Amino acid sequence: MKINNKLFQWGKKTYIMGILNRTPDSFSDGGKYSDLDHAVKHVMTMVSDGADIIDIGGESTRPGSEPVNETEEMNRVVPLVLEISKHCSIPISIDTYHAKTAEAAIKAGAGLVNDVWGLKADPDMAHVAAQYDIPVCIMHNRKSADYQNLIEDMKRDLSESIEIALKSGIKTENIILDPGIGFSKTYEHNLKVMQSLEVFKEFHYPLLLGISRKSIIGLTLNLPIDERVEGTIALNTLGIMKGVDIIRVHDVKQNRRASVMTDRIVREIG
């Protein structure tokens, strides 16, 4: 898969996706990077720490957060995408479920759409990705945590999203899946998903894991958000052992070191 001009070879290594939220209310870094220069400096730090791709978001998706209109979302993310593109060639992901924001970010230089609603929130999203021939990350999500059989229901939901993608003209090789830890799932659901990650490899798409600093760690260890790096590393290591290809993280340096060590054993590379 090519994201921007970088070739991603699944199975060769674990790729690191660094998180940057230009939001006032994201659960972990809300309000930290509203200043454009500060945001660019943080991106450059993540790049030097070993990030393979940067994921930029303009709307918080934490439980209880307020929705943001597309104009405000675009005002938050598009200038940053443009500015990053001036300073370095790192691939850029746009974290949005709005087709207009995705298109504006793509035109500014983004090379991946990361949709937390799995192409189901905006009927135009899949068509935009297909039109510009760029990869999409399809995350599992639903409106309520009402499951008959958690894993089977998740597989069915993801199959629906994959069908939307393919029918819209998105290429098979341009699809990434994300099981959506923390989205429409209870604490017990999240534990079960982590235990069952290898099941989602049955779709034969690369798998992204986004568990950085999330409540599954806080509830298990009884720790605040800024003390969850060890728990994040533990879950990401487990994920890599179960076949995860990309880990989406706030703490790039620490998670990259852990992933390189894990890859040395799991993928037998050094």
Side-chain angles (χ1 to χ4, degrees), residues 171-214:
K171 296 174 182 175
T172 300
E173 60 267 28
N174 276 348
I175 294 174
I176 299 168
L177 299 183
D178 177 351
I181 296 287
F183 287 81
S184 296
K185 298 172 185 69
T186 65
Y187 172 69
E188 290 75 17
H189 287 155
N190 290 321
L191 292 175
K192 179 65 175 177
V193 174
M194 283 301 307
Q195 292 166 351
S196 309
L197 281 175
E198 66 274 10
V199 171
F200 301 100
K201 294 295 289 185
E202 295 173 5
F203 284 101
H204 302 294
Y205 293 110
L207 193 63
L208 181 148
L209 180 62
I211 47 80
S212 185
R213 302 181 184 175
K214 286 187 175 177

Side-chain angles (χ1 to χ4, degrees), residues 14-266:
T14 302
Y15 291 95
I16 312 296
M17 176 182 277
I19 301 168
L20 195 145
N21 292 309
R22 286 207 82 196
T23 57
D25 56 348
S26 289
F27 84 96
S28 181
D29 56 359
K32 285 187 177 181
Y33 305 112
S34 55
D35 177 77
L36 186 60
D37 289 340
H38 189 194
V40 172
K41 286 179 182 177
H42 183 60
V43 168
M44 300 308 292
T45 297
M46 288 194 286
V47 171
S48 66
D49 285 344
D52 297 292
I53 184 169
I54 301 296
D55 190 43
I56 297 172
E59 176 179 346
S60 174
T61 52
R62 67 173 176 79
S65 60
E66 291 294 323
V68 175
N69 65 59
E70 288 176 324
T71 301
E72 176 61 24
E73 187 184 27
M74 284 187 275
N75 287 339
R76 291 176 180 179
V77 299
V78 171
L80 181 56
V81 174
L82 285 168
E83 199 64 21
I84 293 171
S85 299
K86 292 178 187 176
H87 286 82
C88 64
S89 59
I90 191 165
I92 299 170
S93 164
I94 178 65
D95 180 359
T96 184
Y97 55 89
H98 296 121
K100 288 182 180 178
T101 301
E103 184 169 24
I106 292 165
K107 289 179 177 179
L112 170 71
V113 171
N114 184 12
D115 186 345
V116 299
W117 281 103
L119 308 178
K120 295 179 179 178
D122 188 329
D124 293 327
M125 180 65 89
H127 297 290
V128 167
Q131 176 186 346
Y132 289 92
D133 191 25
I134 69 165
V136 295
C137 182
I138 293 172
M139 197 191 81
H140 176 267
N141 204 348
R142 54 163 55 187
K143 292 182 179 179
S144 69
D146 182 19
Y147 300 93
Q148 298 300 312
N149 181 305
L150 175 65
I151 302 302
E152 291 303 314
D153 289 355
M154 287 179 64
K155 288 167 64 177
R156 191 174 303 110
D157 292 344
L158 284 169
S159 294
E160 292 171 359
S161 290
I162 292 167
E163 185 176 2
I164 291 169
L166 296 176
K167 283 187 174 180
S168 299
I170 295 173
K171 296 174 182 175
T172 300
E173 60 267 28
N174 276 348
I175 294 174
I176 299 168
L177 299 183
D178 177 351
I181 296 287
F183 287 81
S184 296
K185 298 172 185 69
T186 65
Y187 172 69
E188 290 75 17
H189 287 155
N190 290 321
L191 292 175
K192 179 65 175 177
V193 174
M194 283 301 307
Q195 292 166 351
S196 309
L197 281 175
E198 66 274 10
V199 171
F200 301 100
K201 294 295 289 185
E202 295 173 5
F203 284 101
H204 302 294
Y205 293 110
L207 193 63
L208 181 148
L209 180 62
I211 47 80
S212 185
R213 302 181 184 175
K214 286 187 175 177
S215 62
I216 182 176
I217 302 163
L219 292 171
T220 300
L221 301 179
N222 191 28
L223 289 173
I225 290 167
D226 60 354
E227 294 185 28
R228 297 177 186 175
V229 64
E230 298 93 346
T232 298
I233 289 171
L235 292 184
N236 278 329
T237 299
L238 176 64
I240 294 167
M241 294 173 69
K242 287 177 172 285
V244 165
D245 299 284
I246 306 171
I247 54 174
R248 182 179 181 273
V249 298
H250 299 87
D251 305 291
V252 171
K253 181 185 291 183
Q254 297 93 326
N255 280 278
R256 181 186 175 276
R257 289 173 176 173
S259 73
V260 169
M261 189 70 250
T262 308
D263 281 347
R264 184 64 184 88
I265 306 301
V266 176

